[in-house]
Amino acid sequence: MTEHHQQNMDLSTPVQFAKGVGPAKAKTFAALEVHTLGDLLDYFPRTYSFLPEPIKIKDLHPNENACTVGIVEQTEVLEYRRPRMFKFTLADDTGLIQVIFFNSTYLKNQIEPGMIVAIHGKPALYKKHLQITNPKFVILNEEQSAEPSSLGGPTYPATANLSSRQIRAILHPLLNELVPCINELYDEQFRKKTELIARTNAYRWIHDPADEDQLACAKRRLKYDELFLMQLGLALKRYQLQHTAPATQMKTSPAIDSRIRKRFPFLLTEDQNTVIEEIVNDMQGTTPMNRLLQGDVGSGKTVVALYAALLAVANKTQAAIMAPTEILATQHLLSIEKFLKGSKVKTALITGRMPAKERKQIIADTLAGNINILVGTVALLNENIDFKDLGVVIVDEQHKFGVHQRAKLRKAKAPHCLVMTATPIPRTLAMTAFGDLDVSVIKHAPPGRGKVVTRKVKPQDRTAAYEFIRQRLRAKKQAYFVYPRIDNDDETSDIKSATQEHTALSKKIFPEFKVDLLHGQMSADDKKQAMQRFRQGKTDILVSTVVIEVGVDVPNATIMVIEHADHFGLAQLHQLRGRVGRGQSNSYCLLFADTDNEIALSRLEVMTRSNDGFEIAEHDLRLRGPGELFSTRQHGLPDLKIANIIEDFDLLTLARKNAFEMVKKDHLLKDPKHKNIKEELIIKLGEKLGLVNIA
Ligand code: ADP
Ligand code: MG
């Protein structure tokens, strides 16, 4: 280690000043989000191999696992044997061993005579000679073979310009210098209680573990830190959202409550009542409500939302209801108007496409307070629509409604905020992606709904399935046909598309019925009209893509056909299926799939077995990971580097509890005991979450 290093290197030193890193490599590192030596320490290996200390070939014994290093003497490919074989002789100054690989003849291009190779495995006796079959192996360079301790060890995620070996060669010599710069975050007592090792050890061992135990301890500690900081960021963000500006305290009374309930032509379900109680409770406080309402499709969330809106209106404030698309916004307005028929409550729809004059009028009326409930798309947020007194904001089906957007809603006076989603969010995700929200759940749909029967349809049963559909259509029921794509641009592909199949269905297969088309590339007006015709029963079959995924509500539609069902995610299939089963008669979801893929088939099997969105979502999560929709990044949080919210659920729960407790006691992290935590949080999350207030 040079003088220069000792004087200058610390965690904030730009990575460019590390030995072996020049401007070009620094650029490559920057692409990996490694800017400082601290970032480099946070660049964790992906895998490890723990090779034991190598021994001499003469000391190898049959059936004893060992590692040895030697020179490759002779290689041979036995092409015509079954199984095919690649073998070579490895020699050191004490003896020889035969090394054999079955079915891996490509290795002849990697392993050549004269190379120095380490092998690890269990030798066996074959015709009195020692040989070893399919060992783990590492091709070494001269330096490494002189220093056996550098065998195995960590492998870093590499890129084209930066190999794992290079990263290791840059970082490992710095460990002695950098690790002592790391600050501990928690006191001794806490670490004892939670069985977390010292942070310095964790960093040393994650990069250079002596054995699996050290690695496991290091991982646990670093995962906890990562989850804790994330939760702390969320807890602080939540605190800030709730305390920058007070919300209107909504008053309620039995009279107000029954006046609102009279608007609904049915009794609310137990779940709806519970959720309404939670919402009313929130809205009675000066702390703005920040609640996520989850409920499967058709579970009756809109009614709950309308209750919240009407409570705000009863308190002389306004409500905004936002949907992700114009179709859905329109539909919200229609159903709200139905409930509000004959009342004095003024509603309006605002869209991007309406004539400028009309739009201007609505904006003026909103500002004057003449409109009580304004419905629109999320674009409402981005345009400067000012309310006279906005009491509550309700956001429907908006998974991408992140921390930042919610922050944007808070003005001088903060509205209460209710986010609704029909995508069942497993608990793990509710705690991370939506970690700063309170959660309410509607578990059971209103009574009197028909069942939804789900079936897989194999290619040979297609005709029978069409016949079945024909009978339902004759009984005046309606059907959705959903395709994975709008158009088939690729002639060679046999994936059906909505546009082409629309023609086939209307001309050939169901010529006696009205078949209509709806997809995302149509103009808003055409989409609206197609939707309207279907809603009014003028169309029998609506051919579409996933645009009908959310919120569309046509009770008479009882058939959902999904073509190439294996191309959709489970959560998506469940969403699509939710379009039917909204009326009293039974509905059918037919999953067409032409595949032998076991995983695909087992996923479809889950669909036929379960109607429980949460169960399906857990399945999906396990099969595919959190995915785009729920990636933490999508929600304004950084991606996790080492923790995994599914596998590390227990740590996540612990971290969340501790983080929220800490913020409750010390929301500015002013306590000197929290100094290091605060510094770390600002480095890691400050910018992402805009945690300016605590800085
Ligand atoms: P979601 O928004 O959760 O998908 P909706 O609120 O649109 O569900 O409700 C679906 C349908 O169920 C609507 O037609 C609605 O009028 C009806 N509904 C809602 N709550 C009840 C209830 N308690 N009893 C009977 N029908 C209800
Ligand atoms: Mg809805």
Side-chain angles (χ1 to χ4, degrees), residues 298 301-302 331-332 396-397 420 422 551 582:
K301 293 183 300 297
T302 310
Q331 191 164 294
H332 269 305
D396 192 21
E397 304 293 1
M420 305 195 290
R582 306 206 130 218

Side-chain angles (χ1 to χ4, degrees), residues 462-479:
R462 177 173 291 273
T463 319
Y466 283 158
E467 266 329 292
F468 174 79
I469 294 164
R470 196 181 311 279
Q471 279 170 26
R472 311 296 312 157
L473 293 175
R474 282 204 190 114
K476 291 272 164 280
K477 297 297 178 195
Q478 293 163 282

